[in-house]
Amino acid sequence: MNELHYQVDLLRAINRKQMERERMYLKVCQAAVGAFLYFSFDRGQATTLGQWADYFPFEVKDTRDMEQLLDAVEESCRLQLGDVIYPEKSGQDTAEMECLLQDSRTWMHFRTQVYYDEKGKPSEKVIYIRDITRQHAQKDELVYMAYYDSLTGLYNRNYFVRLLGEYLKRASHTGSIVSVVVINIDEFRKVNDSMGLVVGDELVRQFGSFLKGLCQEDIMACHLHSDVYCMAVYDPAGSKSVSFLHKAIQERIREPFYLEEGKEASITVSMGVAEYPEASDTALELINCAEIVVFKGKAEGAGTLHYFDAPVMDELLQSIELENKLKKAVCNKDFVIHYQPQYYAGNRRLRGVEALIRWKGEGGKLIGPTTFIPVAESNGSIIPIGRWVMEESVRQYAAWKQQFGFPFIMSVNISALQYKRDDFVDSVMEVLNRYQVKPAEIELEITESVLIEDFQSVAAKLRLLREQGVKISLDDFGTGFSSLAYLKRLPVDTLKVDKSFIDTVMTDSSTRVITESIINMVKSLGFEAIAEGVEEEQQYRYLHAIGCDVIQGYLFGQPLPPEELESVFSSQT
């Protein structure tokens, strides 16, 4: 009897332990993220656990019910899902896949594990199902970011370069041409400055969307950066050609873009084209060549279309070589200043000298400013160059004044970038004070291009300098379309009549009329008039007769190094 009680108690304990274990497994399944389906092959029964009810509106109790899983997913997934749910049919122990639920945006991951007995027959299997919609969306977002530009929806630069490389491989086998077109919105900065960055982004997005509409088989587009786009055309011809794209773009930009807050923007675009195999045989070089063309073309005017050719490359290489050499020259201060005398027209007495920089090139060859100053302005090295010219000119002036004992005027050319610096006025006055040179003995020469971009700021700085006594001269007068408009508001002392007028003043009646008008106007405004580039006695006599104040040119003296000017100063004492 005691033995029987012992057996009953043992069975109860084992049953209690088994029930606790089942509750534990049930709780674990319910707490797990996902749904479970357990199937016993021996009993032919199925049990669902976890979040099954949250995923599916049906129960699965046997093999026939499992077919409902196939009906729950998109039709395109059903055949493969059947292999995943029943891996035992092919002798597999595991299988998995991702499926989109029917009439839903929900993605599910199915994974089946089959267990076999010692005879190799399936005994049990567990199907684990979990919602991966969020992970799938993140994956899609990462894939999108890897291939597309978030602002415009066009290909991004990296993916475009890869696809362009495939174009080039195909073209190398077929002997075809690939055209690469870089497109730049002209004066885009003005849109950002006047309407704001958000509106600027909207313009970039809308124009990018338009370019996307031009894409078709063998035509693709990308957003390179900012307001620059790139398109590639494989085997261009007919409606798939650069001329067709150019025409379509021109038609679109005839109408304004309607942006946020009711704002409108009318634009022009410049385009540069480089073609495989003529320009290059690599994707990045083709894009670079097209960029070179478009920005070189913009210098000639907005809204242009230019093609890359060999002379452009030669010019680029020369420019790069020049820029590299110029950087070294700035570090080594490989420059000298020559000084060209200026004389009063009436008595031919020395008025002063103009400081003209020269670059000491290889072998001691002197390079004129028209060759390297544009490069220096484009890469910013004009700032240290201009600072050196100002310092050296004032130092030399102080030395000459102490040696010869009489004052004259030192004219120094100042670039637009120098005027834009906040410390420009202070830096000029600091140099004058250091060498104890009177401001009235220094004349700063500006060109009209300095004024066009930021007239108010430049004019304010010129007024500060003029209040200190520094003279201001407007160089190349008469060549700008709006010079007269500036005169009323500029603190100017002197105007220099451009050499282009002097060259033909004795042979062209129209030039004489213009020159006389300029001199008369300058005199009536109370300014001093200087004629540049005077090379003939006849020119001098004519300019003197019409009232020109000062003569500068090879007739009276060419630019000379400092030591060769000492005889000029000696003759004035």
Side-chain angles (χ1 to χ4, degrees), residues 77-256:
C77 300
R78 291 173 187 172
L79 183 61
Q80 187 178 355
L81 182 60
D83 296 334
V84 171
I85 294 175
Y86 304 109
E88 67 275 6
K89 291 182 179 180
S90 57
Q92 302 295 317
D93 57 357
T94 60
E96 61 184 315
M97 72 171 295
E98 297 175 0
C99 285
L100 187 64
L101 294 186
Q102 179 75 16
D103 301 326
S104 170
R105 293 183 178 179
T106 303
W107 283 88
M108 292 293 187
H109 181 267
F110 291 78
R111 187 180 189 279
T112 301
Q113 177 71 53
V114 180
Y115 301 90
Y116 294 86
D117 60 20
E118 62 275 5
K119 296 180 180 180
K121 291 184 179 181
S123 58
E124 302 168 291
K125 70 177 175 182
V126 176
I127 301 175
Y128 174 44
I129 307 168
R130 60 190 178 93
D131 187 339
I132 60 167
T133 304
R134 177 178 294 179
Q135 296 92 316
H136 209 279
Q138 291 174 342
K139 179 182 176 182
D140 288 344
E141 184 177 354
L142 289 174
V143 170
Y144 185 88
M145 291 173 62
Y147 298 119
Y148 296 93
D149 172 65
S150 59
L151 180 60
T152 63
L154 298 171
Y155 291 136
N156 63 29
R157 182 187 180 95
N158 291 338
Y159 191 51
F160 179 84
V161 170
R162 186 196 305 180
L163 294 179
L164 179 56
E166 294 175 5
Y167 272 18
L168 300 183
K169 287 180 182 177
R170 183 153 51 115
S172 68
H173 294 303
T174 61
S176 300
I177 293 173
V178 177
S179 295
V180 174
V181 188
V182 168
I183 306 163
N184 176 232
I185 300 176
D186 297 320
E187 297 184 332
F188 178 71
R189 190 180 68 178
K190 291 184 177 180
V191 176
N192 279 339
D193 291 345
S194 61
M195 300 185 184
L197 297 177
V198 174
V199 176
D201 284 348
E202 175 64 13
L203 175 60
V204 169
R205 187 195 66 78
Q206 285 195 28
F207 188 68
S209 179
F210 165 73
L211 293 182
K212 188 174 183 180
L214 296 178
C215 295
Q216 53 179 295
E217 185 180 2
D218 292 335
I219 297 181
M220 60 179 177
C222 83
H223 181 210
L224 282 182
H225 54 83
S226 184
D227 58 328
V228 183
Y229 309 81
C230 190
M231 300 188 75
V233 185
Y234 178 84
D235 193 19
S239 61
K240 294 192 304 179
S241 65
V242 173
S243 59
F244 179 83
L245 294 176
H246 181 252
K247 181 179 179 181
I249 291 171
Q250 293 303 312
E251 288 179 355
R252 171 61 187 89
I253 63 178
R254 288 193 186 101
E255 299 294 329

Side-chain angles (χ1 to χ4, degrees), residues 6 34 87 129 132 313 330 420 533:
Y6 173 76
I129 307 168
I132 60 167
M313 177 57 81
V330 172
K420 289 181 179 180

Side-chain angles (χ1 to χ4, degrees), residues 339-343 348-353 400 404 406 408 556-558 560-573:
Y339 300 88
Q340 186 172 33
Q342 302 169 335
Y343 293 90
R348 299 200 182 195
R349 295 286 294 175
L350 183 71
R351 174 196 186 257
V353 295
W400 276 333
F404 297 104
F406 68 92
F408 55 95
F556 288 154
Q558 63 185 35
L560 296 172
E563 60 274 12
E564 295 184 29
L565 272 173
E566 293 185 2
S567 60
V568 173
F569 296 124
S570 297
S571 67
Q572 300 293 311
T573 57

Side-chain angles (χ1 to χ4, degrees), residues 206-485:
Q206 285 195 28
F207 188 68
S209 179
F210 165 73
L211 293 182
K212 188 174 183 180
L214 296 178
C215 295
Q216 53 179 295
E217 185 180 2
D218 292 335
I219 297 181
M220 60 179 177
C222 83
H223 181 210
L224 282 182
H225 54 83
S226 184
D227 58 328
V228 183
Y229 309 81
C230 190
M231 300 188 75
V233 185
Y234 178 84
D235 193 19
S239 61
K240 294 192 304 179
S241 65
V242 173
S243 59
F244 179 83
L245 294 176
H246 181 252
K247 181 179 179 181
I249 291 171
Q250 293 303 312
E251 288 179 355
R252 171 61 187 89
I253 63 178
R254 288 193 186 101
E255 299 294 329
F257 287 82
Y258 297 98
L259 308 172
E260 294 185 0
E261 301 177 0
K263 296 179 179 177
E264 298 181 12
S266 296
I267 65 171
T268 62
V269 299
S270 296
M271 300 170 61
V273 185
E275 293 187 330
Y276 167 88
E278 179 186 11
S280 177
D281 57 1
T282 67
L284 283 175
E285 286 186 5
L286 276 173
I287 294 172
N288 289 338
C289 289
E291 280 193 291
I292 290 167
V293 174
V294 73
F295 289 110
K296 179 177 174 58
K298 285 171 74 73
E300 300 176 11
T304 57
L305 172 65
H306 289 276
Y307 282 78
F308 187 91
D309 55 21
V312 171
M313 177 57 81
D314 292 340
E315 184 177 340
L316 171 66
L317 294 175
Q318 291 174 8
S319 176
I320 293 174
E321 182 181 10
L322 180 65
E323 185 170 354
N324 291 334
K325 289 181 178 179
L326 183 59
K327 289 178 181 177
K328 292 182 180 179
V330 172
C331 293
N332 300 331
K333 295 183 178 178
D334 291 333
F335 301 99
V336 295
I337 298 179
H338 286 188
Y339 300 88
Q340 186 172 33
Q342 302 169 335
Y343 293 90
Y344 289 110
N347 57 18
R348 299 200 182 195
R349 295 286 294 175
L350 183 71
R351 174 196 186 257
V353 295
E354 179 181 358
L356 300 169
I357 188 172
R358 301 288 187 265
W359 173 12
K360 291 187 297 184
E362 296 176 356
K365 179 182 178 181
L366 295 182
I367 302 171
T370 55
T371 301
F372 67 89
I373 289 299
V375 177
E377 289 182 331
S378 67
N379 65 18
S381 61
I382 191 65
I383 299 299
I385 291 174
R387 190 182 301 120
W388 179 85
V389 169
M390 189 71 195
E391 174 93 16
E392 180 62 18
S393 299
V394 173
R395 185 201 64 78
Q396 182 63 70
Y397 176 85
W400 276 333
K401 184 179 178 182
Q402 183 177 12
Q403 180 180 357
F404 297 104
F406 68 92
F408 55 95
I409 295 173
M410 172 67 74
S411 294
V412 183
N413 291 279
I414 304 295
S415 78
L417 291 182
Q418 289 176 270
Y419 276 108
K420 289 181 179 180
R421 293 181 64 88
D422 293 337
D423 64 346
F424 173 68
V425 174
D426 291 337
S427 65
V428 170
M429 298 309 300
E430 189 274 329
V431 172
L432 297 182
N433 292 333
R434 182 157 18 109
Y435 290 101
Q436 297 182 348
V437 172
K438 295 179 180 179
E441 296 167 349
I442 297 297
E443 182 175 70
L444 302 184
E445 295 194 11
I446 63 171
T447 59
E448 188 178 14
S449 61
V450 174
L451 304 168
I452 291 175
E453 291 188 8
D454 194 1
F455 178 84
Q456 296 297 337
S457 175
V458 172
K461 292 172 183 176
L462 294 179
R463 290 189 189 96
L464 289 175
L465 287 168
R466 198 159 181 260
E467 289 171 2
Q468 298 290 333
V470 176
K471 294 182 180 296
I472 306 298
S473 173
L474 184 59
D475 199 6
D476 301 334
F477 184 75
T479 59
F481 68 92
S482 56
S483 295
L484 297 178

Side-chain angles (χ1 to χ4, degrees), residues 25-95:
Y25 288 147
L26 181 62
K27 295 296 184 183
V28 169
C29 290
Q30 289 174 342
V33 178
F36 298 87
L37 187 152
Y38 170 80
F39 182 76
S40 171
F41 286 91
D42 294 336
R43 298 191 305 269
Q45 293 179 349
T47 303
T48 57
L49 302 166
Q51 297 177 317
W52 185 273
D54 296 333
Y55 291 170
F56 304 107
F58 54 85
E59 285 288 332
V60 176
K61 296 182 178 181
D62 54 32
T63 303
R64 289 174 299 178
D65 291 340
M66 290 174 63
E67 294 295 317
Q68 295 182 75
L69 281 175
L70 301 180
D71 295 332
V73 302
E74 288 283 333
E75 187 174 355
S76 59
C77 300
R78 291 173 187 172
L79 183 61
Q80 187 178 355
L81 182 60
D83 296 334
V84 171
I85 294 175
Y86 304 109
E88 67 275 6
K89 291 182 179 180
S90 57
Q92 302 295 317
D93 57 357
T94 60

